[in-house]
Amino acid sequence: MTKKSIYTAFSILLILFLQVFVLDHVYFLGFINPIIYVIILLLYPVEHNRALYLIAAFFLGLFIDTFQDTGGAHATSCLVLAFSRPFLLRIIYGESYKMKNLKIIQSNFDRLLLLLILGILIHHFIFFNLIYFNMSHILMAVKDTFAIGGLSLLISLLVIYLVKPKVVR
């Protein structure tokens, strides 16, 4: 194993541990429970196998579903995010994405922020619509998407810049 793969595995385990054992038990203002494991899907390297990425996204969501007892809502929203990520990358990064020489974690802050905002909004909107599963609760789903998404974005940025490597070779 290389240093980079060990570092990546450690980062993923740290994020999952933080999500399952810390953030799932924290409720800000009584209902805001941040969901930060989405950054694992958004920061996945572009040059790796897409089929493996989709399978990993499904099992990541299934793993979180197991701990939160959400009946597949995380797995579904992770798959939707995994399918929409190439479209987001093409819009945000343009030619860098098409040339496959993109390192998302090393990109400019504004592009990383835009990717996180759009990815978190997509994931959370799908997730909360599946949780409520009733059109009469659409406003509640939108409220939760923006409230929980905002805090998720702040904590995700904090986690990214705390565990971001200076230079990994």
Side-chain angles (χ1 to χ4, degrees), residues 28 41 93 105 108 134:
F28 297 100
L41 298 174
Y93 291 101
I105 194 75
N108 294 339
N134 191 339

Side-chain angles (χ1 to χ4, degrees), residues 88 91-92 109-119 153:
L88 293 176
I91 289 173
I92 295 170
F109 177 75
D110 57 342
R111 291 181 182 213
L112 180 63
L113 180 65
L114 184 59
L115 178 66
L116 286 174
I117 290 171
L118 293 176
L153 176 68

Side-chain angles (χ1 to χ4, degrees), residues 43-169:
L43 299 179
Y44 185 82
V46 175
E47 66 274 358
H48 287 157
N49 187 352
R50 181 153 164 76
L52 181 63
Y53 171 65
L54 293 172
I55 292 169
F58 173 74
F59 282 111
L60 175 68
L62 199 60
F63 176 79
I64 299 295
D65 279 329
T66 305
F67 283 97
Q68 290 188 356
D69 195 28
T70 50
H74 282 287
T76 305
S77 54
C78 284
L79 274 177
V80 169
L81 179 60
F83 275 110
S84 62
R85 188 181 88 132
F87 177 71
L88 293 176
L89 292 175
R90 197 174 311 117
I91 289 173
I92 295 170
Y93 291 101
E95 286 298 318
S96 295
Y97 172 69
K98 291 177 185 174
M99 303 292 289
K100 302 289 186 194
N101 62 355
L102 176 63
K103 303 284 187 232
I104 297 172
I105 194 75
Q106 296 172 353
S107 64
N108 294 339
F109 177 75
D110 57 342
R111 291 181 182 213
L112 180 63
L113 180 65
L114 184 59
L115 178 66
L116 286 174
I117 290 171
L118 293 176
I120 287 173
L121 284 178
I122 289 170
H123 176 274
H124 286 33
F125 186 72
I126 299 296
F127 175 72
F128 289 116
N129 277 305
L130 289 172
I131 291 294
Y132 296 125
F133 205 68
N134 191 339
M135 286 306 290
S136 64
H137 293 110
I138 190 77
L139 291 178
M140 192 181 313
V142 169
K143 176 191 74 143
D144 284 352
T145 297
F146 285 108
I148 295 171
L151 187 61
S152 298
L153 176 68
L154 292 175
I155 294 175
S156 295
L157 285 171
L158 181 70
V159 168
I160 287 171
Y161 284 102
L162 284 177
V163 299
K164 181 179 178 180
K166 301 295 184 236
V167 175
V168 176
R169 295 177 192 204

